[in-house]
Amino acid sequence: MKSEKEKMLSGENYSAANKELVKERIHAKKLLYKINVTEYWMNKSTRKLIAELLSNSKNVVHIEPPFHCDYGYNIECGENVFFNVNCVVLDSMKVTIGSNVLFGPGVHIYTASHPLNKLERQNTEIAKPVNIGDDCWIGGQVVICPGVTIGSGSVIGAGSVVTKDIPENCLAVGNPAKVIRKLNENNEL
Protein backbone atom coordinates (compact mmCIF):
# COMPACT_ATOMS: atom_id res chain seq x y z
CA MET A 1 0.00 0.00 0.00
CA LYS A 2 1.35 3.42 -0.99
CA SER A 3 1.92 6.20 1.50
CA GLU A 4 0.16 9.53 0.93
CA LYS A 5 3.52 11.01 -0.11
CA GLU A 6 4.04 8.23 -2.67
CA LYS A 7 0.52 8.87 -4.01
CA MET A 8 1.23 12.61 -4.23
CA LEU A 9 4.49 12.09 -6.11
CA SER A 10 2.92 9.60 -8.53
CA GLY A 11 -0.02 11.84 -9.48
CA GLU A 12 -2.72 9.94 -7.60
CA ASN A 13 -5.31 11.45 -5.28
CA TYR A 14 -3.72 11.92 -1.86
CA SER A 15 -4.51 13.45 1.51
CA ALA A 16 -2.51 16.62 2.15
CA ALA A 17 -3.52 16.33 5.83
CA ASN A 18 -1.21 13.32 6.19
CA LYS A 19 1.18 13.76 9.16
CA GLU A 20 4.33 13.16 7.10
CA LEU A 21 3.31 15.76 4.50
CA VAL A 22 2.26 18.29 7.14
CA LYS A 23 5.63 17.85 8.88
CA GLU A 24 7.49 18.41 5.60
CA ARG A 25 5.47 21.56 4.84
CA ILE A 26 6.18 22.91 8.32
CA HIS A 27 9.91 22.31 7.78
CA ALA A 28 9.72 24.28 4.51
CA LYS A 29 7.77 27.10 6.22
CA LYS A 30 10.45 27.41 8.91
CA LEU A 31 13.14 27.80 6.25
CA LEU A 32 10.94 30.24 4.31
CA TYR A 33 10.43 32.31 7.46
CA LYS A 34 14.18 32.70 7.78
CA ILE A 35 14.57 33.54 4.07
CA ASN A 36 11.57 35.90 3.95
CA VAL A 37 11.80 37.59 7.35
CA THR A 38 15.07 37.01 9.19
CA GLU A 39 17.51 37.40 6.31
CA TYR A 40 15.40 39.07 3.59
CA TRP A 41 18.35 39.76 1.30
CA MET A 42 20.82 37.52 -0.47
CA ASN A 43 23.88 36.80 1.62
CA LYS A 44 25.90 33.74 2.59
CA SER A 45 23.35 32.66 5.20
CA THR A 46 20.44 33.07 2.75
CA ARG A 47 22.24 31.00 0.12
CA LYS A 48 22.64 28.15 2.64
CA LEU A 49 18.95 28.33 3.54
CA ILE A 50 17.95 28.28 -0.15
CA ALA A 51 20.26 25.30 -0.75
CA GLU A 52 18.55 23.45 2.12
CA LEU A 53 15.05 24.41 0.96
CA LEU A 54 15.70 23.58 -2.71
CA SER A 55 17.81 20.54 -1.92
CA ASN A 56 17.43 19.07 -5.42
CA SER A 57 18.57 22.22 -7.23
CA LYS A 58 21.94 23.51 -8.35
CA ASN A 59 23.55 26.05 -6.07
CA VAL A 60 23.07 29.09 -8.31
CA VAL A 61 19.46 30.01 -7.56
CA HIS A 62 18.70 33.61 -6.65
CA ILE A 63 15.48 34.38 -4.78
CA GLU A 64 14.24 37.87 -3.99
CA PRO A 65 12.02 37.54 -0.90
CA PRO A 66 9.27 36.99 -0.22
CA PHE A 67 9.09 33.53 -1.78
CA HIS A 68 6.65 30.74 -1.00
CA CYS A 69 6.53 27.01 -1.72
CA ASP A 70 5.02 23.88 -0.20
CA TYR A 71 7.97 21.50 0.11
CA GLY A 72 11.01 22.87 -1.74
CA TYR A 73 12.54 19.48 -2.47
CA ASN A 74 10.21 19.03 -5.45
CA ILE A 75 11.71 22.12 -7.16
CA GLU A 76 14.67 21.20 -9.38
CA CYS A 77 16.45 24.19 -10.89
CA GLY A 78 19.39 24.32 -13.25
CA GLU A 79 22.10 26.99 -13.02
CA ASN A 80 21.42 30.74 -12.90
CA VAL A 81 17.73 30.73 -12.03
CA PHE A 82 16.27 34.01 -10.78
CA PHE A 83 13.00 34.38 -8.86
CA ASN A 84 11.86 37.98 -8.42
CA VAL A 85 9.72 39.09 -5.45
CA ASN A 86 6.45 37.38 -4.49
CA CYS A 87 6.89 34.16 -6.45
CA VAL A 88 4.86 31.13 -5.36
CA VAL A 89 5.62 27.51 -6.29
CA LEU A 90 3.07 24.95 -5.12
CA ASP A 91 5.35 21.96 -5.51
CA SER A 92 3.27 18.96 -4.52
CA MET A 93 4.70 17.36 -7.65
CA LYS A 94 8.04 17.89 -9.34
CA VAL A 95 8.74 21.33 -10.84
CA THR A 96 11.68 21.13 -13.23
CA ILE A 97 13.27 24.43 -14.22
CA GLY A 98 16.15 24.62 -16.68
CA SER A 99 19.20 26.89 -16.54
CA ASN A 100 19.17 30.64 -17.17
CA VAL A 101 15.48 31.05 -16.39
CA LEU A 102 14.08 34.40 -15.19
CA PHE A 103 10.83 34.74 -13.25
CA GLY A 104 9.26 38.17 -12.97
CA PRO A 105 7.54 39.42 -9.81
CA GLY A 106 4.50 37.52 -8.62
CA VAL A 107 4.86 34.44 -10.83
CA HIS A 108 2.82 31.48 -9.57
CA ILE A 109 3.57 27.88 -10.51
CA TYR A 110 0.94 25.34 -9.51
CA THR A 111 1.34 21.58 -9.51
CA ALA A 112 -1.44 21.16 -6.96
CA SER A 113 -5.00 20.74 -8.09
CA HIS A 114 -8.24 19.27 -6.81
CA PRO A 115 -10.58 16.56 -8.08
CA LEU A 116 -13.65 17.80 -9.95
CA ASN A 117 -15.85 15.41 -7.96
CA LYS A 118 -17.10 17.37 -4.94
CA LEU A 119 -16.94 14.39 -2.57
CA GLU A 120 -13.36 13.48 -3.54
CA ARG A 121 -12.38 17.15 -3.29
CA GLN A 122 -13.38 17.26 0.39
CA ASN A 123 -10.57 14.87 1.39
CA THR A 124 -8.02 14.67 -1.38
CA GLU A 125 -5.85 16.65 -3.75
CA ILE A 126 -4.03 15.71 -6.92
CA ALA A 127 -0.86 17.06 -8.54
CA LYS A 128 0.72 17.18 -11.99
CA PRO A 129 4.34 18.10 -12.79
CA VAL A 130 5.45 21.39 -14.40
CA ASN A 131 8.48 21.61 -16.71
CA ILE A 132 10.20 24.80 -17.84
CA GLY A 133 13.10 24.54 -20.30
CA ASP A 134 16.39 26.43 -20.40
CA ASP A 135 16.65 30.13 -21.22
CA CYS A 136 13.02 31.04 -20.57
CA TRP A 137 11.69 34.38 -19.38
CA ILE A 138 8.44 34.23 -17.45
CA GLY A 139 6.93 37.73 -17.12
CA GLY A 140 5.45 39.22 -13.98
CA GLN A 141 2.17 37.89 -12.59
CA VAL A 142 2.18 34.82 -14.86
CA VAL A 143 0.28 31.75 -13.62
CA ILE A 144 1.52 28.34 -14.78
CA CYS A 145 -1.09 25.61 -14.25
CA PRO A 146 -0.54 21.95 -13.31
CA GLY A 147 0.82 19.64 -15.99
CA VAL A 148 2.24 22.38 -18.24
CA THR A 149 5.56 22.23 -20.13
CA ILE A 150 7.18 25.41 -21.43
CA GLY A 151 9.82 24.76 -24.08
CA SER A 152 13.36 26.12 -23.93
CA GLY A 153 13.89 29.68 -25.10
CA SER A 154 10.26 30.69 -24.74
CA VAL A 155 8.94 33.94 -23.31
CA ILE A 156 5.62 34.19 -21.47
CA GLY A 157 4.17 37.71 -21.42
CA ALA A 158 3.26 39.41 -18.15
CA GLY A 159 -0.15 38.50 -16.73
CA SER A 160 -0.56 35.38 -18.85
CA VAL A 161 -2.22 32.21 -17.59
CA VAL A 162 -0.51 29.15 -19.06
CA THR A 163 -3.00 26.27 -19.21
CA LYS A 164 -1.40 24.25 -22.04
CA ASP A 165 2.09 23.37 -23.23
CA ILE A 166 4.12 26.06 -24.99
CA PRO A 167 6.65 24.92 -27.64
CA GLU A 168 10.31 25.96 -27.71
CA ASN A 169 11.32 29.46 -28.82
CA CYS A 170 7.85 30.99 -28.76
CA LEU A 171 6.28 34.14 -27.42
CA ALA A 172 3.02 33.34 -25.63
CA VAL A 173 0.65 35.85 -24.05
CA GLY A 174 -2.89 36.14 -22.74
CA ASN A 175 -5.46 34.35 -20.66
CA PRO A 176 -5.31 31.59 -21.60
CA ALA A 177 -1.80 32.01 -22.98
CA LYS A 178 -1.50 31.50 -26.72
CA VAL A 179 1.55 31.45 -28.93
CA ILE A 180 1.56 34.65 -30.95
CA ARG A 181 4.80 33.99 -32.79
CA LYS A 182 8.01 32.02 -32.99
CA LEU A 183 11.16 33.76 -31.79
CA ASN A 184 14.20 33.95 -34.04
CA GLU A 185 17.47 32.17 -33.38
CA ASN A 186 18.54 34.85 -30.88
CA ASN A 187 15.07 34.91 -29.30
CA GLU A 188 14.71 38.60 -30.05
CA LEU A 189 11.23 40.05 -29.95
Side-chain angles (χ1 to χ4, degrees), residues 18 34 38 45 47 52-53 61 64 70 77 81 101 107 120 132-133 142 156 172 180 183 188:
N18 172 266
K34 292 176 184 175
T38 307
S45 176
R47 285 192 240 311
E52 184 178 348
L53 178 67
V61 175
E64 286 292 321
D70 285 331
C77 297
V81 173
V101 176
V107 170
E120 288 180 29
I132 300 169
V142 166
I156 310 299
I180 59 170
L183 298 172
E188 295 172 358

PDB file of all heavy atoms in Angstrom, residues 18 34 38 45 47 52-53 61 64 70 77 81 101 107 120 132-133 142 156 172 180 183 188:
ATOM      1  N   ASN A  18      -2.062  14.382   5.682  1.00  0.00           N
ATOM      2  CA  ASN A  18      -1.212  13.319   6.194  1.00  0.00           C
ATOM      3  C   ASN A  18      -0.089  13.897   7.058  1.00  0.00           C
ATOM      4  O   ASN A  18       0.516  14.913   6.703  1.00  0.00           O
ATOM      5  CB  ASN A  18      -0.637  12.546   4.997  1.00  0.00           C
ATOM      6  CG  ASN A  18       0.413  11.554   5.400  1.00  0.00           C
ATOM      7  OD1 ASN A  18       1.592  11.884   5.372  1.00  0.00           O
ATOM      8  ND2 ASN A  18      -0.006  10.360   5.777  1.00  0.00           N
ATOM      9  N   LYS A  34      12.827  32.149   7.680  1.00  0.00           N
ATOM     10  CA  LYS A  34      14.182  32.698   7.780  1.00  0.00           C
ATOM     11  C   LYS A  34      14.562  33.462   6.511  1.00  0.00           C
ATOM     12  O   LYS A  34      15.137  34.545   6.578  1.00  0.00           O
ATOM     13  CB  LYS A  34      15.189  31.578   8.054  1.00  0.00           C
ATOM     14  CG  LYS A  34      15.039  30.959   9.424  1.00  0.00           C
ATOM     15  CD  LYS A  34      16.000  29.796   9.593  1.00  0.00           C
ATOM     16  CE  LYS A  34      15.780  29.105  10.928  1.00  0.00           C
ATOM     17  NZ  LYS A  34      16.622  27.915  11.068  1.00  0.00           N
ATOM     18  N   THR A  38      13.836  36.829   8.438  1.00  0.00           N
ATOM     19  CA  THR A  38      15.067  37.010   9.194  1.00  0.00           C
ATOM     20  C   THR A  38      16.190  37.566   8.330  1.00  0.00           C
ATOM     21  O   THR A  38      16.851  38.530   8.692  1.00  0.00           O
ATOM     22  CB  THR A  38      15.511  35.675   9.829  1.00  0.00           C
ATOM     23  OG1 THR A  38      14.427  35.142  10.583  1.00  0.00           O
ATOM     24  CG2 THR A  38      16.709  35.867  10.724  1.00  0.00           C
ATOM     25  N   SER A  45      24.321  33.398   4.399  1.00  0.00           N
ATOM     26  CA  SER A  45      23.345  32.657   5.200  1.00  0.00           C
ATOM     27  C   SER A  45      22.099  32.315   4.376  1.00  0.00           C
ATOM     28  O   SER A  45      21.584  31.196   4.434  1.00  0.00           O
ATOM     29  CB  SER A  45      22.960  33.475   6.435  1.00  0.00           C
ATOM     30  OG  SER A  45      21.952  32.824   7.161  1.00  0.00           O
ATOM     31  N   ARG A  47      21.894  32.008   1.120  1.00  0.00           N
ATOM     32  CA  ARG A  47      22.241  30.995   0.116  1.00  0.00           C
ATOM     33  C   ARG A  47      22.221  29.587   0.720  1.00  0.00           C
ATOM     34  O   ARG A  47      21.771  28.644   0.081  1.00  0.00           O
ATOM     35  CB  ARG A  47      23.596  31.298  -0.508  1.00  0.00           C
ATOM     36  CG  ARG A  47      23.549  32.440  -1.496  1.00  0.00           C
ATOM     37  CD  ARG A  47      24.816  32.552  -2.314  1.00  0.00           C
ATOM     38  NE  ARG A  47      25.581  33.763  -2.239  1.00  0.00           N
ATOM     39  CZ  ARG A  47      25.151  35.009  -2.357  1.00  0.00           C
ATOM     40  NH1 ARG A  47      23.887  35.240  -2.502  1.00  0.00           N
ATOM     41  NH2 ARG A  47      25.958  36.034  -2.305  1.00  0.00           N
ATOM     42  N   GLU A  52      19.260  24.452   1.309  1.00  0.00           N
ATOM     43  CA  GLU A  52      18.553  23.455   2.116  1.00  0.00           C
ATOM     44  C   GLU A  52      17.097  23.315   1.660  1.00  0.00           C
ATOM     45  O   GLU A  52      16.588  22.199   1.535  1.00  0.00           O
ATOM     46  CB  GLU A  52      18.595  23.840   3.599  1.00  0.00           C
ATOM     47  CG  GLU A  52      17.964  22.795   4.497  1.00  0.00           C
ATOM     48  CD  GLU A  52      18.039  23.114   5.974  1.00  0.00           C
ATOM     49  OE1 GLU A  52      18.769  24.041   6.369  1.00  0.00           O
ATOM     50  OE2 GLU A  52      17.360  22.410   6.750  1.00  0.00           O
ATOM     51  N   LEU A  53      16.450  24.437   1.393  1.00  0.00           N
ATOM     52  CA  LEU A  53      15.054  24.407   0.958  1.00  0.00           C
ATOM     53  C   LEU A  53      14.915  23.728  -0.402  1.00  0.00           C
ATOM     54  O   LEU A  53      14.084  22.848  -0.587  1.00  0.00           O
ATOM     55  CB  LEU A  53      14.492  25.831   0.870  1.00  0.00           C
ATOM     56  CG  LEU A  53      13.051  25.963   0.389  1.00  0.00           C
ATOM     57  CD1 LEU A  53      12.076  25.364   1.395  1.00  0.00           C
ATOM     58  CD2 LEU A  53      12.714  27.431   0.127  1.00  0.00           C
ATOM     59  N   VAL A  61      20.856  29.591  -7.499  1.00  0.00           N
ATOM     60  CA  VAL A  61      19.461  30.014  -7.562  1.00  0.00           C
ATOM     61  C   VAL A  61      19.375  31.290  -6.742  1.00  0.00           C
ATOM     62  O   VAL A  61      19.803  31.331  -5.591  1.00  0.00           O
ATOM     63  CB  VAL A  61      18.506  28.947  -6.978  1.00  0.00           C
ATOM     64  CG1 VAL A  61      17.077  29.461  -6.946  1.00  0.00           C
ATOM     65  CG2 VAL A  61      18.595  27.644  -7.759  1.00  0.00           C
ATOM     66  N   GLU A  64      14.547  36.605  -4.639  1.00  0.00           N
ATOM     67  CA  GLU A  64      14.242  37.873  -3.995  1.00  0.00           C
ATOM     68  C   GLU A  64      13.022  37.648  -3.104  1.00  0.00           C
ATOM     69  O   GLU A  64      11.947  37.331  -3.617  1.00  0.00           O
ATOM     70  CB  GLU A  64      13.936  38.953  -5.036  1.00  0.00           C
ATOM     71  CG  GLU A  64      15.151  39.469  -5.764  1.00  0.00           C
ATOM     72  CD  GLU A  64      16.088  40.261  -4.865  1.00  0.00           C
ATOM     73  OE1 GLU A  64      15.615  41.024  -4.002  1.00  0.00           O
ATOM     74  OE2 GLU A  64      17.311  40.092  -5.031  1.00  0.00           O
ATOM     75  N   ASP A  70       5.570  24.866  -1.125  1.00  0.00           N
ATOM     76  CA  ASP A  70       5.015  23.875  -0.201  1.00  0.00           C
ATOM     77  C   ASP A  70       6.094  23.014   0.443  1.00  0.00           C
ATOM     78  O   ASP A  70       6.102  22.815   1.651  1.00  0.00           O
ATOM     79  CB  ASP A  70       4.024  22.961  -0.915  1.00  0.00           C
ATOM     80  CG  ASP A  70       2.702  23.633  -1.200  1.00  0.00           C
ATOM     81  OD1 ASP A  70       2.307  24.540  -0.435  1.00  0.00           O
ATOM     82  OD2 ASP A  70       2.053  23.257  -2.190  1.00  0.00           O
ATOM     83  N   CYS A  77      16.016  23.086 -10.028  1.00  0.00           N
ATOM     84  CA  CYS A  77      16.451  24.186 -10.887  1.00  0.00           C
ATOM     85  C   CYS A  77      17.837  23.906 -11.441  1.00  0.00           C
ATOM     86  O   CYS A  77      18.703  23.362 -10.737  1.00  0.00           O
ATOM     87  CB  CYS A  77      16.529  25.490 -10.096  1.00  0.00           C
ATOM     88  SG  CYS A  77      14.971  26.072  -9.421  1.00  0.00           S
ATOM     89  N   VAL A  81      19.175  30.516 -12.065  1.00  0.00           N
ATOM     90  CA  VAL A  81      17.729  30.731 -12.031  1.00  0.00           C
ATOM     91  C   VAL A  81      17.448  31.906 -11.100  1.00  0.00           C
ATOM     92  O   VAL A  81      18.010  31.992 -10.007  1.00  0.00           O
ATOM     93  CB  VAL A  81      16.987  29.464 -11.558  1.00  0.00           C
ATOM     94  CG1 VAL A  81      15.508  29.733 -11.350  1.00  0.00           C
ATOM     95  CG2 VAL A  81      17.196  28.336 -12.565  1.00  0.00           C
ATOM     96  N   VAL A 101      16.904  30.738 -16.345  1.00  0.00           N
ATOM     97  CA  VAL A 101      15.475  31.052 -16.385  1.00  0.00           C
ATOM     98  C   VAL A 101      15.208  32.236 -15.456  1.00  0.00           C
ATOM     99  O   VAL A 101      15.686  32.269 -14.322  1.00  0.00           O
ATOM    100  CB  VAL A 101      14.616  29.835 -15.977  1.00  0.00           C
ATOM    101  CG1 VAL A 101      13.136  30.188 -15.931  1.00  0.00           C
ATOM    102  CG2 VAL A 101      14.861  28.679 -16.944  1.00  0.00           C
ATOM    103  N   VAL A 107       5.152  35.633 -10.033  1.00  0.00           N
ATOM    104  CA  VAL A 107       4.862  34.438 -10.826  1.00  0.00           C
ATOM    105  C   VAL A 107       4.374  33.330  -9.898  1.00  0.00           C
ATOM    106  O   VAL A 107       4.917  33.130  -8.806  1.00  0.00           O
ATOM    107  CB  VAL A 107       6.109  33.970 -11.612  1.00  0.00           C
ATOM    108  CG1 VAL A 107       5.889  32.600 -12.236  1.00  0.00           C
ATOM    109  CG2 VAL A 107       6.476  34.992 -12.683  1.00  0.00           C
ATOM    110  N   GLU A 120     -14.810  13.745  -3.561  1.00  0.00           N
ATOM    111  CA  GLU A 120     -13.361  13.483  -3.539  1.00  0.00           C
ATOM    112  C   GLU A 120     -12.586  14.732  -3.113  1.00  0.00           C
ATOM    113  O   GLU A 120     -11.604  14.649  -2.393  1.00  0.00           O
ATOM    114  CB  GLU A 120     -12.872  13.048  -4.921  1.00  0.00           C
ATOM    115  CG  GLU A 120     -13.294  11.661  -5.326  1.00  0.00           C
ATOM    116  CD  GLU A 120     -12.777  11.313  -6.716  1.00  0.00           C
ATOM    117  OE1 GLU A 120     -11.725  11.833  -7.133  1.00  0.00           O
ATOM    118  OE2 GLU A 120     -13.442  10.514  -7.389  1.00  0.00           O
ATOM    119  N   ILE A 132       9.827  23.556 -17.165  1.00  0.00           N
ATOM    120  CA  ILE A 132      10.203  24.800 -17.840  1.00  0.00           C
ATOM    121  C   ILE A 132      11.619  24.606 -18.360  1.00  0.00           C
ATOM    122  O   ILE A 132      12.539  24.302 -17.588  1.00  0.00           O
ATOM    123  CB  ILE A 132      10.118  25.999 -16.877  1.00  0.00           C
ATOM    124  CG1 ILE A 132       8.682  26.145 -16.350  1.00  0.00           C
ATOM    125  CG2 ILE A 132      10.599  27.280 -17.568  1.00  0.00           C
ATOM    126  CD1 ILE A 132       8.525  27.107 -15.205  1.00  0.00           C
ATOM    127  N   GLY A 133      11.804  24.768 -19.664  1.00  0.00           N
ATOM    128  CA  GLY A 133      13.097  24.536 -20.298  1.00  0.00           C
ATOM    129  C   GLY A 133      14.120  25.612 -19.986  1.00  0.00           C
ATOM    130  O   GLY A 133      13.860  26.580 -19.263  1.00  0.00           O
ATOM    131  N   VAL A 142       2.578  35.978 -14.059  1.00  0.00           N
ATOM    132  CA  VAL A 142       2.180  34.819 -14.863  1.00  0.00           C
ATOM    133  C   VAL A 142       1.743  33.697 -13.928  1.00  0.00           C
ATOM    134  O   VAL A 142       2.329  33.487 -12.861  1.00  0.00           O
ATOM    135  CB  VAL A 142       3.346  34.342 -15.770  1.00  0.00           C
ATOM    136  CG1 VAL A 142       3.078  32.956 -16.347  1.00  0.00           C
ATOM    137  CG2 VAL A 142       3.589  35.349 -16.885  1.00  0.00           C
ATOM    138  N   ILE A 156       7.041  34.116 -21.825  1.00  0.00           N
ATOM    139  CA  ILE A 156       5.624  34.194 -21.472  1.00  0.00           C
ATOM    140  C   ILE A 156       5.354  35.617 -21.009  1.00  0.00           C
ATOM    141  O   ILE A 156       5.963  36.092 -20.047  1.00  0.00           O
ATOM    142  CB  ILE A 156       5.253  33.189 -20.356  1.00  0.00           C
ATOM    143  CG1 ILE A 156       5.747  31.773 -20.674  1.00  0.00           C
ATOM    144  CG2 ILE A 156       3.742  33.224 -20.100  1.00  0.00           C
ATOM    145  CD1 ILE A 156       5.182  31.153 -21.925  1.00  0.00           C
ATOM    146  N   ALA A 172       4.416  33.646 -25.950  1.00  0.00           N
ATOM    147  CA  ALA A 172       3.019  33.338 -25.630  1.00  0.00           C
ATOM    148  C   ALA A 172       2.497  34.386 -24.659  1.00  0.00           C
ATOM    149  O   ALA A 172       3.195  34.777 -23.715  1.00  0.00           O
ATOM    150  CB  ALA A 172       2.904  31.943 -25.027  1.00  0.00           C
ATOM    151  N   ILE A 180       1.859  33.632 -29.938  1.00  0.00           N
ATOM    152  CA  ILE A 180       1.563  34.650 -30.946  1.00  0.00           C
ATOM    153  C   ILE A 180       2.629  34.696 -32.032  1.00  0.00           C
ATOM    154  O   ILE A 180       2.378  35.226 -33.101  1.00  0.00           O
ATOM    155  CB  ILE A 180       1.332  36.050 -30.336  1.00  0.00           C
ATOM    156  CG1 ILE A 180       2.552  36.536 -29.560  1.00  0.00           C
ATOM    157  CG2 ILE A 180       0.092  36.033 -29.467  1.00  0.00           C
ATOM    158  CD1 ILE A 180       2.447  37.998 -29.156  1.00  0.00           C
ATOM    159  N   LEU A 183      10.051  32.835 -31.986  1.00  0.00           N
ATOM    160  CA  LEU A 183      11.164  33.760 -31.793  1.00  0.00           C
ATOM    161  C   LEU A 183      12.298  33.340 -32.700  1.00  0.00           C
ATOM    162  O   LEU A 183      12.477  32.147 -32.971  1.00  0.00           O
ATOM    163  CB  LEU A 183      11.604  33.760 -30.330  1.00  0.00           C
ATOM    164  CG  LEU A 183      10.529  34.224 -29.338  1.00  0.00           C
ATOM    165  CD1 LEU A 183      10.996  34.014 -27.912  1.00  0.00           C
ATOM    166  CD2 LEU A 183      10.169  35.688 -29.577  1.00  0.00           C
ATOM    167  N   GLU A 188      15.039  37.189 -30.126  1.00  0.00           N
ATOM    168  CA  GLU A 188      14.707  38.597 -30.049  1.00  0.00           C
ATOM    169  C   GLU A 188      13.238  38.793 -30.367  1.00  0.00           C
ATOM    170  O   GLU A 188      12.665  38.082 -31.179  1.00  0.00           O
ATOM    171  CB  GLU A 188      15.571  39.389 -31.027  1.00  0.00           C
ATOM    172  CG  GLU A 188      17.044  39.358 -30.666  1.00  0.00           C
ATOM    173  CD  GLU A 188      17.928  39.980 -31.721  1.00  0.00           C
ATOM    174  OE1 GLU A 188      17.421  40.412 -32.760  1.00  0.00           O
ATOM    175  OE2 GLU A 188      19.149  40.020 -31.494  1.00  0.00           O
TER     176      GLU A 188
END
